Amino acid sequence: MTDDVTGETCQWRGWREATEQALYGPGGFYLRPEGPAGHFRTSVHASALFAGAVARLLGEVAEELGTAGVDLVDVGAGRGELLTAVLAATAGTGLDVRASAVERAARPAGLDERIVWTDRLPGPGSVRGLLFANEWLDNVPVDVAEADATGVARYVEVRADGTERLAAPVAGPDAEWLARWWPLREPGARAEIGRPRDAAWAAAVRSLAAGRAVAVDYGHVRDARPPFGTLTGFRDGREVPPAPDGGCDVTAHVAVDACAAAGGGDGGAELLTQREALHRLGVSGGRPPLSMASADPAGYVRALASAGEAAELTARGGLGDFHWLVQRVGPAAG
Ligand SMILES: C[S@@+](CC[C@H](N)C(=O)[O-])C[C@H]1O[C@@H](n2cnc3c(N)ncnc32)[C@H](O)[C@@H]1O
């Protein structure tokens, strides 16, 4: 537990408020120097093939917009790893990439000076290009609801050590959201109320004048909600019980269909798996032909390593099951 949050150890709060403080308040988990990569591996860290695929996607968007000058906005940018890698991957391709990071943590020292760093989403209609958000929405804090013994959905309150109690009945827009997106069907059933994520995603899509917004995250859709929710913690590469004490990540899978509906966009939303999305962008886990081993041994070893990384990014039961929510706006829509 960090010193800055110990004063609130005994306080009962809703999960949304408690998580907000634990992740982004003073001494918060995400504001620490080690950054997200110090605690878990996202697709960005798993392989440079991921940034290569984003670079190709950016090229597609530029072509649709009929321009070589495109914006690339990375929301929840961590320490700028994806932007740095995409700038490297697009060097010499003729694409003129205007890169910006939207991130609550401070700009890292030594970051490529071409990357603009801000803690706010761009204004409405100001982006022409690609807005990309890998594992952002799952870190937008949400309240948790649980059905009591009589089936009434109540807010769950929590103390910094993770102890929980049931509080007031869920009411108003939160109750409407549950009824539409995640009805609780029996006592003990739990849900994460995704309204703040819907609003965050809608604002992100609104920032586009033209192009695509893509959110990549672990998630679920209405027909297959997890009955007890997915709230969990991560610390030092391991899954741990969620405790909003600033010492671990607190995350929950994203109701991606609700975000899709909130995002709107001219061309509607497309939901696909990371496996499908990366295959479309040319990332495949196929092994190189064995004949290559004798004809070009060094090339074979490189191709084999690359196939292994592609397999990790597209694996069933792993990163390949992540959802890609794609929203098109303006001339690129349709
Ligand atoms: C799980 S990390 C993902 C980092 C990076 N995108 C990656 O894939 O490696 C989530 C990041 O989102 C940032 N974040 C969360 N909410 C944010 C917000 N409203 N605005 C900007 N950044 C935010 C956190 O600070 C954290 O760095």
Side-chain angles (χ1 to χ4, degrees), residues 35-55:
H39 293 271
F40 46 80
R41 228 157 83 100
T42 68
S43 295
V44 173
H45 312 117
S47 168
L49 293 175
F50 191 76
V54 174

Side-chain angles (χ1 to χ4, degrees), residues 72-114:
L72 174 60
V73 181
D74 184 2
V75 186
R79 296 299 177 267
E81 298 95 331
L82 178 64
L83 288 173
T84 302
V86 172
L87 284 174
T90 51
T93 62
L95 267 189
D96 175 17
V97 182
R98 299 179 296 264
S100 41
V102 180
E103 172 54 56
R104 295 180 80 162
R107 181 187 183 96
L111 187 73
D112 187 324
E113 59 192 26
R114 288 172 294 174

Side-chain angles (χ1 to χ4, degrees), residues 113-132:
E113 59 192 26
R114 288 172 294 174
I115 299 173
V116 174
W117 195 269
T118 166
D119 61 358
R120 299 268 162 82
L121 282 171
S126 61
V127 175
R128 302 184 76 80
L130 176 64
L131 179 143
F132 200 85

Side-chain angles (χ1 to χ4, degrees), residues 294-311:
S294 47
D296 176 11
Y300 179 75
V301 170
R302 277 198 305 277
L304 208 54
S306 170
E309 291 176 11

Side-chain angles (χ1 to χ4, degrees), residues 294-327:
S294 47
D296 176 11
Y300 179 75
V301 170
R302 277 198 305 277
L304 208 54
S306 170
E309 291 176 11
E312 180 182 357
L313 289 174
T314 56
R316 288 181 203 284
L319 292 171
D321 291 343
F322 272 43
H323 294 261
W324 278 48
L325 164 56
V326 183
Q327 224 117 18

